[in-house]
Amino acid sequence: MFNKSTSVRSSEEEIIGQSPAFQNILNQVHIVAKTDSVTLIQGETGTGKEVIARAIHDQSSRSHGPFVKLNCAAIPGPLLESELFGHERGAFTGACAQTKGRFQQADGGTLFLDEIGDLPLELQPKLLRALQEQEFERLGSSQTIRVNVRVVAATNQDLATLVANKQFRADLYYRLNVIPLALPALRDRAEDIPTLVEHFVRKFSERMNKPIDEIPVETMNVLKCHDWPGNIRELQNCIERAVVLSPESVLRLPMLDLRQMTKQPSATAARTLAEAEREHILDVLKQTDGLIGGQYGAAVRLGLPRTTLVYKMRKLGIEARRARRARAAEHDAPLFARAASGGIGAGHFEPIAAF
């Protein structure tokens, strides 16, 4: 098990956090790293999915093997198959030499497939076979190549919703989702912000040879109160700007960042805006019969990621349909029991269908 230290060092950078939510993730990483099981890392953009994937590799028996990365959203579909499995010379226009794909490059090590939710449907059966059989053929070849690769995938999308909308194969989803890790957003581990700020200040001040000796309390308070929708990546970029632009050895936030983070409406205006937002979300949920995700869900109609809508609902005190039904079922249970035993409406009670 990981101890409750502030940071854990991988081969490239530190993983920092002592909040219970993040320590739980580090403990899971320690356990998962001992296996060769496929792991699916889920979390919002900027939560550090690649860093966690590398930590799994570094703490595994494959740590002396290669750690190979592929961003499935960064490469056009026609080229992605070649990137994954390689190609023979002449397999397509411009294929001037035999090329190894990422699976073969990662033989004996770990293959990290980022943004797996963007993998084209036509490639998904081939990836499924490579995961299950540890074998594949290069483009333009009939020779089967066998490898020994541990796959870690990551996404900021809800794969279950993509499966429901037939945008992602169910069999591939279940093959990837052997060991799921859900990374917390920075707003859910706000107690880690001061430690992260100090780490990034040290990192950038050393890199730029620009000493920063003090972080004012008011500056830290502003940073702790911000929601950080871009998570750790947004915080890191903010601190880098602050180190660059601070005129002396005291950390000062750039005026634009300061205005955005401290822009607060009056109490009355904030309450009115919150009420208006709540009414609008409730109205859309009513139109979708409480459905949040999916093609016809409220998140799409509102133009929000599903995770953002869920966060807003919690913040505004809006219960999801499932929670309401569960509570209603608990409330109705005693009535059902009394009716069954000859109590209220005995002989006239009609059981309702279970949800």
Side-chain angles (χ1 to χ4, degrees):
M1 298 286 285
F2 278 88
N3 58 32
K4 300 299 181 181
S5 59
T6 299
S7 66
V8 175
R9 180 171 292 280
S10 71
S11 60
E12 288 193 345
E13 57 187 299
E14 285 184 317
I15 302 173
I16 295 173
Q18 52 190 357
S19 62
F22 197 64
Q23 283 295 319
N24 180 52
I25 289 294
L26 295 185
N27 288 334
Q28 291 182 58
V29 166
H30 185 62
I31 296 169
V32 168
K34 295 178 180 179
T35 75
D36 266 349
S37 300
V38 178
T39 303
L40 178 63
I41 304 172
Q42 302 173 87
E44 296 179 9
T45 297
T47 49
K49 295 185 286 294
E50 182 179 332
V51 175
I52 294 298
R54 178 169 282 280
I56 292 173
H57 171 76
D58 289 344
Q59 296 175 47
S60 73
S61 59
R62 297 173 176 269
S63 58
H64 297 295
F67 178 78
V68 178
K69 302 178 289 185
L70 177 64
N71 188 321
C72 299
I75 300 172
L79 298 178
L80 192 53
E81 182 176 359
S82 173
E83 288 291 329
L84 279 169
F85 306 117
H87 62 260
E88 297 291 335
R89 179 179 179 181
F92 52 85
T93 303
C96 302
Q98 184 188 81
T99 302
K100 291 182 178 181
R102 305 297 173 94
F103 260 97
Q104 196 168 2
Q105 294 173 30
D107 193 17
T110 303
L111 175 60
F112 174 55
L113 298 177
D114 199 7
E115 305 293 353
I116 192 67
D118 290 300
L119 187 73
L121 274 170
E122 61 270 18
L123 272 184
Q124 293 181 20
K126 297 181 179 180
L127 175 59
L128 178 62
R129 180 195 169 206
L131 288 173
Q132 292 183 159
E133 308 297 336
Q134 293 276 295
E135 63 181 32
F136 57 89
E137 290 80 37
R138 292 194 191 109
L139 276 173
S141 172
S142 59
Q143 180 183 357
T144 298
I145 299 172
R146 293 194 60 81
V147 292
N148 179 10
V149 174
R150 196 256 178 94
V151 171
V152 177
T155 181
N156 61 5
Q157 301 186 62
D158 187 339
L159 291 188
T161 299
L162 294 182
V163 170
N165 293 333
K166 301 190 183 305
Q167 296 173 299
F168 201 88
R169 289 178 62 102
D171 49 5
L172 178 57
Y173 168 60
Y174 295 125
R175 189 67 187 84
L176 289 169
N177 200 38
V178 177
I179 300 181
L181 290 179
L183 301 193
L186 188 53
R187 62 179 172 270
D188 296 327
R189 44 179 292 220
E191 56 263 62
D192 288 333
I193 289 176
T195 309
L196 286 164
V197 170
E198 291 167 2
H199 166 72
F200 289 134
V201 167
R202 281 196 306 271
K203 174 181 176 179
F204 292 119
S205 62
E206 290 173 6
R207 180 183 297 178
M208 301 170 191
N209 195 25
K210 182 178 181 180
I212 298 292
D213 302 322
E214 182 186 348
I215 305 174
V217 173
E218 58 271 21
T219 298
M220 186 66 82
N221 287 338
V222 170
L223 294 169
K224 287 194 294 185
C225 292
H226 187 51
D227 270 353
W228 300 109
N231 293 292
I232 298 172
R233 186 178 298 125
E234 182 188 0
L235 174 62
Q236 176 175 316
N237 293 342
C238 174
I239 298 303
E240 183 175 2
R241 280 193 301 275
V243 171
V244 170
L245 299 175
S246 292
E248 300 173 349
S249 61
V250 178
L251 188 73
R252 301 293 183 189
L253 293 175
M255 186 57 67
L256 181 60
D257 287 336
L258 195 59
R259 285 175 181 169
Q260 290 175 343
M261 292 180 190
T262 58
K263 189 186 295 181
Q264 297 290 341
S266 66
T268 303
R271 186 168 56 252
T272 303
L273 287 170
E275 290 171 355
E277 185 176 32
R278 189 175 191 278
E279 288 179 9
H280 183 48
I281 291 175
L282 285 170
D283 184 51
V284 174
L285 284 169
K286 184 177 180 181
Q287 295 171 24
T288 63
D289 192 29
L291 185 64
I292 296 173
Q295 185 178 358
Y296 305 104
V300 171
R301 294 198 182 192
L302 290 165
L304 296 172
R306 181 182 177 278
T307 52
T308 302
L309 177 54
V310 170
Y311 171 70
K312 285 180 174 291
M313 288 171 64
R314 288 174 181 166
K315 190 175 180 181
L316 295 169
I318 301 173
E319 284 188 299
R321 178 175 58 181
R322 184 179 299 174
R324 292 200 305 272
R325 285 180 170 177
R327 194 170 64 180
E330 291 175 359
H331 178 267
D332 291 340
L335 293 177
F336 182 84
R338 290 201 302 273
S341 63
I344 299 173
H348 302 284
F349 184 86
E350 295 184 6
I352 59 174
F355 290 105

